[in-house]
Amino acid sequence: MKIKIPATSANLGPGFDCLGLAIALYNEVCIKPSSYQSISVKGEGEENVKLKKNNIFVSIFYDIYQELTGRKDSFRFEFYNNIPFSRGLGSSSAVIVGAIASAYEMAGVKASRESILNKAILYETHPDNIAPAVYGGFTSSIVEHGKVKTLRKELSEKLKVVMVIPDRPMSTAQSRTLLPKSYLMKNTVYNLSRASLLTAAFFSENWEFLKVASRDCMHEHRRMKQLKELFEVREIALKNGALMSTLSGSGSSFFSLVRAEDAQKVAIALKNAFGMFRVEIFELDNNGFEIVKS
């Protein structure tokens, strides 16, 4: 079998740990029965020996597969990685969702996307990346009694993503240590109101609200100070017509949502200003993970 899993951008400004969307940038994994386990990696991480010795995808896959079948079969895993590591593009969620969905498929057990999502939350404690990796589109999610509740909105083909991907990684765990343990009431209300309006704007396709609704006062500023060029990235993107421009997850990538006809203009402006960073235009993904039987 082969599975492809999309990159995701989470938070989208004020929607800390709950809002996200899927991007048409994919990791692919081919899995074949084998007389012994083997792993090959191409693309991102291909020079990292640890990915062959201690591979999280493989570990989760076997946990689920053995739970479902009671067997300890061996497989060959071929990874084709396009999602950069530790750049705020949901690489860890792609691993978790991909491993779980693949295990069910190879075990011959039918599973709904909802059940795969609720299995994934056991490995990733917040649903902002795993929900769009499962469903595609824009997702708004909560966790209630250990179960994920998600609403999804298909994203328009009239929109594209301009992503600035710095060459410097940012650890999600480390970036969380920069955040305070508590917030003032006015800051909490600021984010709640904007996350609510942002969600309404996505569902109603009122794109003109995205710029003001995507502002945040809880996490972005503290994280962006680790790579101060990101403040200018946002300024240039918005000045050149981006509908919204936010830190992607915990960074270091910066996400801008644009009208399709403005994508080139925004990308060129960012490339001219930040030649040292990778700047890419992506389509949005509305499918979530996809399994192809070989």
Side-chain angles (χ1 to χ4, degrees), residues 87-100:
R87 296 295 199 286
L89 290 170
S91 60
S92 61
S93 291
V95 165
I96 292 165
V97 168
I100 294 168

Side-chain angles (χ1 to χ4, degrees), residues 30-39 51-79 95-96 98-104 106-107 119 123:
C30 291
I31 304 173
K32 306 170 184 176
S34 177
S35 55
Y36 60 93
Q37 179 187 303
S38 63
I39 297 170
L51 288 181
K52 294 185 179 180
K53 291 185 176 178
N54 183 26
N55 189 292
I56 296 171
F57 183 107
V58 172
S59 176
I60 295 173
F61 173 91
Y62 278 124
D63 282 349
I64 305 295
Y65 182 84
Q66 289 173 18
E67 178 186 309
L68 294 170
T69 66
R71 302 196 306 269
K72 294 187 176 182
D73 298 330
S74 295
F75 298 91
R76 172 162 176 76
F77 300 87
E78 298 172 358
F79 293 91
V95 165
I96 292 165
I100 294 168
S102 298
Y104 274 92
M106 293 305 280
K119 203 76 167 174
Y123 296 89

Side-chain angles (χ1 to χ4, degrees), residues 40-53 79 81 85:
S40 70
V41 180
K42 292 183 180 177
E44 295 285 335
E46 65 181 22
E47 295 173 4
N48 187 345
V49 178
K50 290 181 181 177
L51 288 181
K52 294 185 179 180
K53 291 185 176 178
F79 293 91
N81 295 334
F85 296 147

